[in-house]
Amino acid sequence: MGWGDLGAFGEPSKETPNLDQMASEGMLFLDFYTANPLCSPSRAALLTGRLPIRNGFYTTNAHARNAYTPQDIVGGIPDSELLLPELLKKAGYINKIIGKWHLGHRPQFHPLKHGFDEWFGSPNCHFGPYDNRELPNIPVYRDWEMIGRYYEDFKIDLKTGEANLTQIYLQEALDFISRQQASQQPFFLYWAIDATHAPVYASKHFLGTSQRGLYGDAVREIDDSVGKILKHLQKLGISENTFVFFTSDNGAALISAPKQGGSNGRFLCGKQTTFEGGMREPAIAWWPGHIPAGEVSHQLGNVMDLFTTSLSLAGLQPPSDRQIDGIDLLPAILQGRLIDRPIFYYRGNEMMAVRVGLYKAHYWTWSNSWEEYGKGIDFCPGQNVSGVTTHTQEEHTTLPLLFHLGRDPGEKYPLSMLPCWQSCVFEMRPEGFQIKSCQIERPLCHWDATLPKLTEPSDCYLQCPHQGFLPALNIKELWSEYLVWSSNTKRPWCQESHSLTYATRLS
Amino acid sequence: MGWGDLGAFGEPSKETPNLDQMASEGMLFLDFYTANPLCSPSRAALLTGRLPIRNGFYTTNAHARNAYTPQDIVGGIPDSELLLPELLKKAGYINKIIGKWHLGHRPQFHPLKHGFDEWFGSPNCHFGPYDNRELPNIPVYRDWEMIGRYYEDFKIDLKTGEANLTQIYLQEALDFISRQQASQQPFFLYWAIDATHAPVYASKHFLGTSQRGLYGDAVREIDDSVGKILKHLQKLGISENTFVFFTSDNGAALISAPKQGGSNGRFLCGKQTTFEGGMREPAIAWWPGHIPAGEVSHQLGNVMDLFTTSLSLAGLQPPSDRQIDGIDLLPAILQGRLIDRPIFYYRGNEMMAVRVGLYKAHYWTWSNSWEEYGKGIDFCPGQNVSGVTTHTQEEHTTLPLLFHLGRDPGEKYPLSMLPCWQSCVFEMRPEGFQIKSCQIERPLCHWDATLPKLTEPSDCYLQCPHQGFLPALNIKELWSEYLVWSSNTKRPWCQESHSLTYATRLS
């Protein structure tokens, strides 16, 4: 699901009344990110509070390649990683995962071996149907037991898009919550539904109800389900004891658009990329009686923060024997304090970009390869920003492409590529850039350019930034952050981590 | 200002608390349009309730060229047109325009000759400074009297972006409202501010306050001013007697981006074009005690409707001696009834596209000319939809480019250009299209295309529409609408109207 998929985030159909209400009763995060633009590493980061480069969810098979756990990958979450439910258990929490696990499908990676007490769901996406011996359909588990497979025991009709899986996941959630409330048991529920992942599905009641087609039907069903879960908490009288956070694991997959793809709003590109569309996520915190209603936060947040924040809520300390990247968001959520922190955009094991404040520096740009593009696979359909959405991996480590995400959320105007800047002389120094001189040669006209007379430079307002423009950019901070992180990615702070490897297909 | 410029419409900085509150207290229109993607014809349409092709605000100088009234155009609103204030006057209303008139600057086009009782503002945009005899700076009027000129008597600092014009316009509005309230006088206030039009400006108090730069500062000042006007109405106890509507005259001018340009959200292109980004507008209706709070409407609306709706509110009938294109929105606003009506997208005197329901058919596509594009003028920066954002004027009258705006608000996937449709055989009939046969040759993969194994067609879900897909499209209705309108645009229903002509510069 993408940043732009909810009404509260400007989806033009505005079909998510429950999530919009959740936002109006809670806190809307507008600058919240995932840790990787692909599902497996993103979920691993959420549950470990650590970047994929630390927890092992990256691959060295190719440069800037996101790691992934489809059915034919043998890797998974290492035993050495401490997952959120393992830690919460120490504080007496009962933990359940409903839906997609995605942290490995082999027995040693089973969620009940990593802190969860209950599981209803699948180790992977509902891909398929494969329906053959060589590649069996994805299994569905209840706790330790495999109780069936997608397309066989759990139907998904690819022609109509009908599947009642979200309803099953909803009922699982309501039952779990009821049981914990009945026994006055603190709990952690990780409700990892996947109806908006292609092949997109919705149950019969929701099919055809959205202006947006099948994808919208799926969003509506998720929205309705979230509403039912929140109402259930209220009905049970535990809403003021229950912290609820809604977010997504990566930006909308634009390669599935228009029929199966969501929206990243006005952000650039989508899933798999380190542009904003790939990693900025819808995010809402809800906790009646604690979070003031209708708040909006510009705190830079990350799914990894849910690890640290949850521990904080449970009165636990994060592990001290390893680097934790997630921060405790409670000061931002409860006291409205903005915490200064960078956001790192990884693609596989390469740090592609970093955001500090409103500035984002791309050290590498890449959409997808020409080879894929030639096959009709496009991570940025309808978008083409020259020198930015590159189909070759372009290195900019000596002169990063800089964007101001406030003035240019769509990453269309690299500051260093503005027409007037092209006539500027830069000097690269250890502490950052410096403009040596800037000669504005050809100002652009900004109004009706169809009137020939007004295209004369003398009629035009100089819209280019002046020399005084750059100092607002804390490039020194950006650069030093990069130096630290960049050197670390090249050498193994990751000795502790385990690269996922592609291996032979399972029989 | 563009559709995506307000927090309520998903602007990522969410810096418009007053307009967002206005929406939460009133009705948000998500499918509201202007009548032309340029300011003059749009404003003429608003005040006459008629398409520019009827009221004369088009030009025949070139095909699909939007009409415009800069300082060196002699045309303006014809006496034969009946403007909203002229009609409201009959019901005892006092009418004031504050800000930009844009319907002609010669004496015969003066707003006080066309129904307004008061004017504070300018006949044109705050372009300049020209500062020369040949092209004097744009004048500012109080009623009949020219009281100064921009840049001379009314300062705009192009270097800092500082100008206190919005504050002057705000004070004018508050004073006017107070006076009418004191004399229990019904009134019509047309508050036509222009701070977001390049060269963008804001007053000192707002400069540097936005994440979005100067453009955001201007939006924040407008937002703050709207809040003050609404609070003033409440303070005076007349909010339940006063219908307030907020909208814009065209989409954000992306040619001014990033420093001076706004946002059209996820819509395609901007001002001057007939893609959604050029013509879909932010729109909010507010009328406490009458419009239920927090309503959202998908009524297809148009600025021309404000003419008819205002007459209806005043208990007046629209003129019966001419075609009025605006509809009365009150049933949609007060009773939530959706009124079936098309939206026509004109560029100059050419109907480029029409929307019926969620379908939009482009009969002509054009972004801007190669010649302009070569000069760096781009109406669709960072966007490039093959065969859609064309730099030549492409005619599609025999096979319109069809879009479904629910599934594809960004106009990226013409239904007739989907890969599978390319293997379909269409037949054009008087009543519409018919698919003769459809052979899906190469279905696309929809998920992680980086995994070679999954690119086999047999692994893929068929995401293309089937033969049963098209009947949902009421193409017959679209087509017959087009035939009527198209023939009318070619021959003069417009005998009544007066083409604006470009003429020699004023001395």
Side-chain angles (χ1 to χ4, degrees), chain B residues 85-124:
Chain B
E86 286 177 85
L87 297 165
L88 289 175
K89 200 173 250 184
K90 293 176 185 168
Y93 279 68
I94 295 288
N95 308 296
K96 177 160 191 160
I97 167 172
I98 297 172
K100 188 164 74 162
W101 166 239
H102 236 318
L103 267 56
H105 66 95
R106 291 220 146 176
Q108 65 268 37
F109 306 126
H110 193 288
L112 270 57
K113 285 206 170 163
H114 291 270
F116 283 104
D117 300 290
E118 298 183 18
W119 182 24
F120 180 86
S122 169
N124 207 323

Side-chain angles (χ1 to χ4, degrees), chain A residues 162-224:
Chain A
E162 183 179 346
N164 67 342
L165 294 168
T166 302
Q167 291 305 311
I168 297 173
Y169 298 146
L170 169 62
Q171 202 51 53
E172 284 287 324
L174 300 179
D175 290 349
F176 174 73
I177 293 168
S178 294
R179 280 189 280 122
Q180 307 321 311
Q181 188 270 342
S183 55
Q184 296 197 306
Q185 172 65 51
F187 66 88
F188 165 54
L189 171 61
Y190 176 38
W191 197 61
I193 36 85
D194 64 356
T196 52
H197 192 298
V200 170
Y201 61 78
S203 64
K204 196 166 187 179
H205 179 67
F206 290 91
L207 280 181
T209 61
S210 167
Q211 285 191 6
R212 306 177 65 194
L214 182 57
Y215 184 90
D217 297 340
V219 172
R220 280 176 56 92
E221 186 164 14
I222 290 172
D223 173 74
D224 184 78

Side-chain angles (χ1 to χ4, degrees), chain B residues 275-503:
Chain B
F275 300 110
E276 290 297 288
M279 294 187 61
R280 209 193 285 208
E281 304 301 333
I284 305 167
W286 185 87
W287 192 14
H290 302 269
I291 302 173
E295 291 288 303
V296 172
S297 178
H298 284 290
Q299 172 64 46
L300 300 195
N302 197 293
V303 293
M304 299 182 293
D305 303 342
L306 300 178
F307 174 90
T308 313
T309 305
S310 299
L311 292 179
S312 177
L313 284 163
L316 296 169
Q317 291 295 319
S320 56
D321 64 341
R322 63 196 70 202
Q323 180 68 42
I324 299 294
D325 299 295
I327 63 170
D328 181 1
L329 288 177
L330 288 186
I333 293 174
L334 300 180
Q335 292 129 42
R337 282 190 4 226
L338 285 181
I339 306 155
D340 192 24
R341 68 93 67 90
I343 294 291
F344 299 101
Y345 304 71
Y346 274 89
R347 193 156 171 173
N349 61 342
E350 183 59 77
M351 196 190 74
M352 307 287 282
V354 60
R355 174 177 173 179
V356 173
L358 286 167
Y359 287 96
K360 180 175 176 181
H362 286 268
Y363 299 101
W364 287 87
T365 52
W366 191 33
S367 54
N368 63 337
S369 70
W370 282 116
E371 190 191 347
E372 285 175 0
Y373 187 72
K375 292 178 187 165
I377 298 162
D378 189 353
F379 291 169
C380 316
Q383 297 175 316
N384 177 29
V385 184
S386 179
V388 180
T389 54
T390 57
H391 287 289
T392 47
Q393 295 187 357
E394 296 292 332
E395 186 170 2
H396 309 276
T397 52
T398 53
L399 185 63
L401 284 189
L402 294 172
F403 293 90
H404 186 281
L405 294 178
R407 294 193 283 265
D408 175 25
E411 293 168 288
K412 287 180 182 170
Y413 305 93
L415 297 178
S416 46
M417 287 168 71
L418 282 179
C420 49
W421 279 46
Q422 288 173 359
S423 63
C424 296
V425 178
F426 289 93
E427 191 178 61
M428 188 67 206
R429 294 182 179 193
E431 70 272 20
F433 304 107
Q434 196 178 53
I435 302 182
K436 296 291 286 181
S437 64
C438 195
Q439 180 65 40
I440 295 170
E441 285 169 354
R442 203 181 66 76
L444 294 175
C445 266
H446 56 280
W447 54 74
D448 188 352
T450 60
L451 298 170
K453 195 179 52 54
L454 291 180
T455 58
E456 291 300 312
S458 60
D459 291 328
C460 292
Y461 171 65
L462 301 178
Q463 70 164 1
C464 296
H466 305 292
Q467 271 189 265
F469 185 67
L470 200 61
L473 169 62
N474 194 343
I475 186 65
K476 186 176 167 185
E477 185 183 347
L478 266 184
W479 188 249
S480 62
E481 290 276 3
Y482 173 68
L483 289 180
V484 173
W485 287 78
S486 174
S487 62
N488 281 338
T489 59
K490 302 297 173 202
R491 275 170 288 118
W493 59 10
C494 311
Q495 284 177 342
E496 53 174 321
S497 70
H498 310 252
S499 172
L500 292 171
T501 50
Y502 293 80

